[in-house]
């Protein structure tokens, strides 16, 4: 037995030098980075003896922080005590932005890939995978006659869905201009938030449907026949009305394929930034369809295609929505968000019309930290 | 309209400098890397004016290749003409292994994250997302009484499964010592291979069940309550018999939760490296359960826990398996694989017993390139 294992290990080490066989240990060394200490400070480490300067940059510091080189060639930096949160960061080595080779956990945001880490003990506990019942996350393809396309969709079904005979309510959860059907999963920690809120008894078990709001794309970058291309934020389909016009295809697919309550009282729609605008227009254009609306840092901007039917007579449509009634119209935005003036103008309009809404103003700006908070506050209000 | 958009864009640019708001354009520049040329050479680019040396390393070159710095500070390297394949690579900048900041497509293998690209026009076309009907990929959690754990499992259901009333055959597809329930999806391109083979009429529509063979883990790194930790290859559960002992829990879950044919003629099992050993022992220990076995570069090594019941009397169990009959016992390995002697010893044993098998010897070693080839050759042989 010893001999076989020795050969096994030596072989693996030799071949790892050539990266020809799939047993690469490089980058593993003995280095742990990031290391989260019991007091919630975090030490970052990078083994880079030949590099002149290394800094760390992330959403837990306002600028960059210089790392310090040890005699062993390992650069380190230890953060201040950090609040419980899901964080992202990169290193900058001799001016080059790089990922932490000792941290395999990464997320993509548009055309950038960042490392992530998570600090528990507070809000971040909602973003963790905890030992609670877990829902199922499926990537499916649905037919959109409105867009003449088969499109990818990400669907969370709550724990117990498969074994149950019950019908469930549905939350349609939309991303921003940089996102796709994966954004709420990767950056929004949506499946963890749902599992945890349901386990805590704070949210009703519900289905969460995550669409792709770039209607020119069939799927997230790399997941369609467009192959591996460099993602861009401003696709030609942005704010052109197609998302709103074709949204009925999504509802129809969900209601034909899942055990759901098919009525207004059991449909919610929410979205961040561009998805907030989608939420506003979709709920106004399908006026008796949703009892719950969530506009998270909504990008209430003039459409690129203002003559699209869905964009016409918004005031008249909002009036109809108001008269038909709804349970919750929830608007959240950060004080430092560059879209806050647009949101304030929209709130003025609603106030003048007498259209009721719940307003949540948080600290911070146009960030996933806020969108995770908004979703974890909004979801418990649904279907109660 | 112009004014609103101007404010929108200026805001985005200002805030991107601070990386505080989620609209980071850094790394996008005008650089395309990798750029795949029509003749299937590939140009890699890295904007790193302050760096002294840059090389590229990947599974398309045997060693590393030096990149050349232009007057603009951008390093480039153009490969030879590459065969159609799914490739991985990294850069080495001043001795530091980094990812390509202009390529957002990455896969993890144990504790390393690599960039990937794909060259079509041959075998690689099977690994592409093509405009064909797509199956559904679900991440679910199943109960394993044998392991006293709820565990994550990745399940591919073929196009048409949801709309059909038919029963389907099942392929259980197992990973190697460095993998988990995501490995066949990320590195093995399993859902693309299945979609494409089915669309070409080369494979029967089937369900593919991808388990986690590290029985001490509930899920892939980052997907369980263990949180974000540094993955290791050699977990204590490796080759200890628990995977084989508890595999009935997986079959039971699948057969209780999916519309499947529950007979030997409609069950296949295959795995790579450690998963090849699992396939050997599981199929021998459940002797009348599988008609199709696939051992891809199997790690036929002495178990760590040789007294486990599943490991005892292998010859007797193989004899029973032979007498019960099966349709296909398929063994594939590369000429340069460090496990080929072990496989040759195993083939000698089978030959002496008179136990029939199909043997496929490929070029290359213990690589995902081979496992993608083996799976794309094995799957068309199933359930015909």
């Amino acid at each position: 037995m010893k001999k076989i294992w020795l050969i096994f290990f030596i072989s693996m080490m030799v071949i790892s030098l050539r990266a020809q066989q799939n047993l690469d240990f490089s980058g593993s060394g003995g280095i742990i980075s990031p290391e989260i200490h019991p007091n919630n400070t975090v030490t970052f480490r990078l083994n880079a003896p030949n590099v002149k300067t290394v800094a760390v940059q992330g959403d837990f510091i306002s600028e960059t922080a210089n790392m310090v080189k040890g005699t062993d060639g390992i650069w380190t930096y230890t953060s201040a005590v950090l609040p419980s949160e899901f964080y992202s960061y990169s290193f900058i080595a001799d001016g080059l932005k790089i990922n932490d080779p000792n941290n395999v956990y990464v997320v993509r945001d548009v055309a950038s890939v960042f490392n992530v880490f998570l600090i528990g003990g507070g809000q971040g506990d909602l973003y963790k995978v905890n030992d609670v019942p877990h829902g199922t996350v499926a990537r499916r393809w649905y037919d959109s006659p409105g867009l003449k396309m088969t499109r990818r969709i990400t669907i969370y079904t709550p724990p117990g869905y498969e074994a149950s005979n019950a019908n469930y309510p549905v939350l349609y959860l939309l991303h921003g201009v940089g996102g796709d059907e994966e954004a709420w999963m990767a950056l929004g920690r949506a499946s963890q938030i749902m599992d945890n809120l349901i386990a805590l008894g704070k949210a009703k078990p519900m289905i969460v449907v995550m669409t792709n709001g770039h209607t020119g794309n069939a799927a997230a970058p790399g997941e369609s026949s467009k192959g591996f291309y460099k993602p861009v934020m401003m696709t030609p389909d942005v704010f052109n009305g197609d998302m709103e016009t074709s949204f009925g295809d999504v509802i129809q697919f969900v209601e034909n394929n899942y055990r759901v309550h098919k009525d207004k009282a059991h449909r919610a729609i929410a979205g961040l930034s561009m998805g907030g605008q989608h939420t506003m227009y979709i709920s106004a254009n399908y006026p008796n369809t949703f009892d719950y609306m969530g506009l998270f840092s909504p990008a209430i901007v003039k459409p690129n295609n203002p003559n699209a039917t869905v964009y016409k007579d918004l005031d008249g449509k909002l009036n109809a929505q108001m008269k038909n009634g709804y349970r919750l119209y929830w608007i959240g935005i950060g004080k430092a968000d560059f879209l806050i003036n647009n949101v304030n103008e929209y709130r003025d309009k609603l106030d003048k019309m007498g259209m009721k809404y719940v307003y949540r103003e948080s600290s911070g700006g146009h960030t996933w930290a806020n969108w995770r908070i908004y979703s974890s506050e909004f979801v418990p209000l649904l279907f109660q």
Side-chain angles (χ1 to χ4, degrees), chain A residues 117-254:
Chain A
F117 66 97
L118 203 154
I119 298 213
Q123 177 74 11
D125 285 346
L126 286 178
Y127 312 153
K128 278 187 172 173
V129 179
N130 291 308
D131 281 327
V132 298
H134 300 295
T136 297
V137 179
R139 274 76 179 186
R140 286 185 67 168
W141 291 74
Y142 74 100
D143 194 39
S144 177
L147 297 170
K148 296 184 174 56
M149 215 187 274
T150 302
R151 308 189 75 225
R152 196 165 178 267
I153 197 164
T154 300
I155 300 193
Y156 169 91
T157 47
Y161 172 82
E162 290 92 348
S164 160
N165 292 316
N167 289 328
Y168 285 77
V170 182
L171 165 62
Y172 295 88
L173 189 58
L174 315 182
H175 62 79
V177 70
D180 50 60
E181 75 276 16
E182 292 300 305
W184 270 107
M185 294 296 300
L187 291 149
R189 304 293 287 174
S191 70
Q192 289 80 21
I193 291 173
M194 292 308 304
D195 283 352
N196 290 323
L197 288 175
I198 292 169
L200 289 165
K202 290 187 176 172
K204 285 271 166 70
M206 66 185 80
I207 294 174
V208 183
V209 174
M210 288 157 278
T211 50
N212 187 319
H214 290 282
T215 51
N217 291 343
E223 300 288 350
S224 77
S225 63
K226 287 189 181 177
F228 296 154
Y229 57 91
K230 190 165 187 169
V232 294
M233 188 175 277
M234 289 294 162
T235 53
D237 51 56
V238 163
F239 301 115
N240 73 353
D242 286 352
M243 178 64 177
E244 293 87 345
T245 309
S246 64
F247 202 76
D249 296 344
V250 175
I251 300 174
Q252 197 149 45
F253 169 75
V254 170

Side-chain angles (χ1 to χ4, degrees), chain A residues 298-314:
Chain A
I300 301 179
V301 295
K302 198 165 175 182
N304 282 338
N305 183 13
N307 292 324
T309 310
V310 287
Y311 292 138
K312 284 188 178 158
D313 188 24
L314 176 61

Side-chain angles (χ1 to χ4, degrees), chain A residues 42-61:
Chain A
V42 181
T43 298
F44 301 88
R45 295 185 177 90
L46 180 70
N47 184 6
N50 301 324
V51 168
K52 294 278 174 289
T53 63
V54 184
V56 60
Q57 143 184 318
D59 50 12
F60 55 94
I61 38 175

